[in-house]
Amino acid sequence: MSPAELHADSIVIDGLIIAKWNRELFEDMRKGGLTAANCTVSVWEGFQATINNIVASQTLIRENSDLVIPVKTTADIRRAKALGKTGIIFGFQNAHAFEDQLGYIEIFKQLGVGVVQMCYNTQNLVGTGCYERDGGLSGFGREVVAEMNRVGIMCDLSHVGSKTSEEVILESKKPVCYSHCLPSGLKEHPRNKSDAELKFIADHGGFVGVTMFAPFLAKGIDSTIDDYAEAIEYTMNIVGEDAIGIGTDFTQGHGQDFFEMLTHDKGYARRLTSFGKIINPLGIRTVGEFPNLTETLLKRGHPERVVRKIMGENWVNVLKDVWGE
């Protein structure tokens, strides 16, 4: 197959998109041949505000049903592929929306939430994020992990502190993930994961989605799609070809105010970090350029079988396990 044919034939999944929700994004997802994506509907919001986000998102999906469909099962992902549409998985980047109510977890699952990050950068009732002294998984956090396992929501550890991450990995009876991270072996950064951390999650049946967020790449805003491919290869050499996928962290459509919200604790309090200028790697600036990644991986010598795994098949397999299908 040619690169274009392979991309068109493959299931292509992005494990994390936090772009601006609108028809333009959905059109770009179709241009990029995206089969499904984990789309963030909650970061700092509590229960009610997150419900409001989901209501708005469901309305947008319904109004653009020619382009997208909601995803609650991996069968929905395959149906999206068959229909030539993009499946939308609701995801959280913080367990804050659970508040202190374990019962909310099943409610969100019923609304289509399939992936929840345990913490976003700082402390919450579950554990600690990567920009704060890490106290590990709380007692309540252990209950949250157990309930997420029971109802079938994947535990995400991308922005989570090292100790809390280790304890979630050990506590969970289902595979957990770093949905969008990079190796600190290529660049030291609080958001990047060490070789030991990558190996630990893979050794315990976990999964790694590799991001291309410029501040975490070695060459920053001067990075290209080949630099992103290098990060994928570096990670795959540690976790293996069955435990790796894509998690771009696309933020397209958002302005500076959005990044200000993300980089302050709870969206408004103390500053945690500053990203500076953000430009995605040359060759994959937008979701619509996703086919270039398939082509790049093939050009770098990866066989079609492995490229299919990286681009989406591995995500389907791990989600099927976690979602209890």
Side-chain angles (χ1 to χ4, degrees):
M1 285 188 178
S2 70
E5 289 170 337
L6 180 64
H7 188 83
D9 190 60
S10 297
I11 287 181
V12 180
I13 296 180
D14 193 331
L16 197 288
I17 288 182
I18 191 171
K20 190 173 181 64
W21 286 72
N22 52 33
R23 185 171 177 86
E24 273 186 319
L25 175 66
F26 295 155
E27 288 173 342
D28 215 31
M29 286 175 165
R30 295 312 315 137
K31 179 182 176 184
L34 203 58
T35 310
N38 167 23
C39 297
T40 301
V41 293
S42 184
V43 181
W44 298 116
E45 295 91 340
F47 177 82
Q48 184 61 59
T50 298
I51 290 290
N52 295 346
N53 288 346
I54 291 174
V55 169
S57 299
Q58 286 178 327
T59 301
L60 191 63
I61 290 169
R62 187 171 63 252
E63 291 173 346
N64 293 277
S65 59
D66 58 321
L67 298 173
V68 292
I69 65 169
V71 166
K72 292 187 177 182
T73 66
T74 55
D76 290 335
I77 294 175
R78 296 192 184 280
R79 187 165 69 89
K81 182 65 180 178
L83 293 171
K85 298 181 181 183
T86 299
I88 304 298
I89 305 161
F90 290 154
F92 296 176
Q93 289 212 51
N94 200 340
H96 184 62
F98 295 158
E99 298 183 354
D100 60 355
Q101 300 296 316
L102 290 172
Y104 289 175
I105 297 172
E106 186 168 19
I107 296 299
F108 280 124
K109 172 65 177 180
Q110 291 168 350
L111 293 175
V113 176
V115 183
V116 169
Q117 187 166 248
M118 311 311 287
C119 317
Y120 189 78
N121 294 339
T122 61
Q123 184 81 41
N124 63 17
L125 296 178
V126 168
T128 314
C130 61
Y131 285 104
E132 195 156 18
R133 186 177 60 187
D134 193 347
L137 187 65
S138 69
F140 175 68
R142 295 178 194 282
E143 293 181 284
V144 169
V145 171
E147 183 65 0
M148 287 174 67
N149 283 175
R150 185 185 75 81
V151 305
I153 296 178
M154 192 170 205
C155 299
D156 184 359
L157 304 169
S158 303
H159 287 248
V160 179
S162 181
K163 183 176 176 62
T164 300
S165 293
E166 178 184 348
E167 292 181 357
V168 171
I169 292 166
L170 294 173
E171 188 73 21
S172 181
K173 302 297 189 291
K174 291 286 187 176
V176 304
C177 72
Y178 296 127
S179 70
H180 57 300
C181 76
L182 280 165
S184 58
L186 293 178
K187 181 178 181 178
E188 277 293 336
H189 191 283
R191 268 280 283 111
N192 291 352
K193 309 299 180 183
S194 69
D195 291 5
E197 287 172 318
L198 294 170
K199 186 175 188 304
F200 189 80
I201 196 170
D203 286 349
H204 290 81
F207 189 87
V208 180
V210 183
T211 186
M212 56 173 207
F213 193 60
F216 310 151
L217 286 164
K219 295 180 183 175
I221 60 173
D222 295 321
S223 301
T224 69
I225 196 168
D226 276 292
D227 296 309
Y228 181 36
E230 180 190 12
I232 293 169
E233 292 159 356
Y234 183 103
T235 305
M236 186 165 61
N237 285 337
I238 296 170
V239 305
E241 66 181 52
D242 296 319
I244 191 164
I246 303 303
T248 61
D249 208 5
F250 265 117
T251 57
Q252 70 189 64
H254 284 301
Q256 187 58 35
D257 58 337
F258 172 77
F259 295 103
E260 287 298 309
M261 183 270 292
L262 290 185
T263 54
H264 285 77
D265 184 31
K266 298 174 182 61
Y268 69 89
R270 71 186 186 279
R271 175 172 288 284
L272 303 169
T273 187
S274 183
F275 294 139
K277 193 173 184 180
I278 296 170
I279 302 175
N280 290 329
L282 180 65
I284 190 164
R285 300 275 203 230
T286 66
V287 180
E289 292 186 300
F290 242 102
N292 294 346
L293 184 56
T294 296
E295 181 177 8
T296 298
L297 291 171
L298 288 169
K299 280 183 176 177
R300 292 173 70 94
H302 299 284
E304 288 186 4
R305 172 186 60 81
V306 174
V307 173
R308 285 180 185 272
K309 287 183 177 185
I310 295 170
M311 295 304 295
E313 283 184 4
N314 286 341
W315 264 123
V316 174
N317 291 338
V318 74
L319 289 173
K320 188 173 185 178
D321 186 355
V322 173
W323 291 351
E325 300 171 18

